[in-house]
């Protein structure tokens, strides 16, 4: 598996300050195990072994495999929310900012596809409190995208019949990249982002 | 779980002619178990129990849980390919047929979301020969969508820079509906299909 190291995706990892390297190794091992076998078929021993540690050493950092899943899901969603907010706060009009948002969001899901799969397909395995955190982050992402579409409509740059459905389509297109993108995909993540940026602007009725 | 019974999705089920009801019950139980726990964490005993049978009774119909996954994946892909071909062969110009295709494809993935999740997220768990069958069906779906886009470009109804990327976006939007659609979603499957039909036609540069 040739996924990007988590440290590149999440430059800071709250809660892992004490021994960041070991925590990263565990998160990386958990991501790959969950993506390969699914959460339920993965044991804490599998994760510890893949990280080159004993199960006891794992418990110094994380209480359970559910705590690892919760941290992966939280950090993955927080990273995409940060990226979305960065694009929304950027320069230019709504169409320009939407292009930036889709380019970044798409490229992230191509590069971080292994994390993306775990984050999006193992939601049902999250403990209730961790699910609530992730649901709040997802709602924030949807709201940012909806607000940008509304700004574009107000500015006369977009023509959209149902803002919520359009926002859903925009995020959905990006998220699903994690499912189908592989090392053999013909477009590099940035090129795919560029193409998807064009497609989304048209979908929103922008003149491109 | 309130998914549509498989019999509604797959009116005929080759290989299950001898005792269709028992086979359907097993497929239904397998779909729900795989969707809930993932393929690797599900045992043949889990599936047999959920179908109200003994493991021995399961083996009369299917050799293994992998054989059940293979049949679910094959049938799910075959059903969507049939639906895509029906739309492509329908009346009207390319834009009209694309609208029909997206409406049907989207509504299917909303209604059959539990099957959709299994079919799309457990691909890596398929035995090699079963994977080859499914890969061929997926390629056929992509080709049908690409050919319809090309026909639309040739007819002057679509304006598309990269046909393959656009075809990927069209199928990806529909497939991802299985991930996010729930009983609480505000649009009925047919209404979502209608809205996605509009969005896709715009994405392809059709004047709608």
């Amino acid at each position: 598996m040739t996924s990007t190291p988590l440290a590149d995706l999440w430059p800071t990892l709250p809660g892992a300050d004490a021994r960041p390297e070991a925590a990263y190794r565990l998160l990386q091992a958990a991501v790959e195990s969950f993506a390969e076998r699914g959460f339920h078929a993965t044991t804490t021993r599998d994760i510890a072994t893949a990280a080159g540690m004993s199960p006891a050493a794992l418990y110094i950092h994380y209480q359970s495999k559910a705590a690892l899943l919760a941290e992966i899901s939280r950090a993955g969603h927080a990273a995409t929310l940060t990226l979305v907010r960065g694009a929304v706060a950027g320069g230019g009009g709504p169409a320009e900012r939407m292009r930036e948002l889709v380019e970044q969001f798409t490229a992230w899901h191509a590069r971080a596809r292994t994390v993306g799969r775990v984050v999006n397909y193992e939601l049902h395995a999250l403990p209730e409190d961790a699910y609530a955190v992730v649901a709040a982050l997802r709602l924030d992402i949807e709201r940012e995208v909806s607000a940008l579409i509304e700004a574009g409509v107000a500015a006369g740059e977009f023509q959209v019949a149902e803002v919520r459905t359009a926002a859903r389509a925009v995020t959905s297109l990006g998220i699903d990249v994690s499912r189908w993108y592989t090392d053999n995909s013909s477009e590099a993540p940035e090129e795919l982002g560029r193409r998807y940026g064009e497609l989304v602007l048209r979908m929103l009725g922008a003149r491109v």
Side-chain angles (χ1 to χ4, degrees), chain A residues 53-136:
Chain A
M53 293 182 201
S54 66
L58 181 152
Y59 292 123
I60 295 172
H61 300 280
Y62 296 98
Q63 199 181 338
S64 62
K65 65 170 181 163
L68 273 158
L69 178 64
E71 177 54 18
I72 292 162
S73 296
R74 187 205 57 73
H77 282 91
T80 49
L81 176 58
T82 299
L83 170 165
V84 163
R85 286 199 167 134
V88 168
E96 211 169 317
R97 286 181 280 147
M98 180 60 80
R99 186 193 294 276
E100 177 70 14
L101 189 158
V102 173
E103 288 185 357
Q104 296 281 337
F105 195 74
T106 302
W108 193 93
H109 282 89
R111 274 196 309 269
R113 56 194 174 273
T114 316
V115 173
R117 278 174 213 153
V118 170
V119 157
N120 286 300
Y121 303 162
E122 299 286 5
L123 272 185
H124 60 281
L126 284 175
E128 211 172 313
D129 52 345
Y131 182 80
V133 169
V134 166

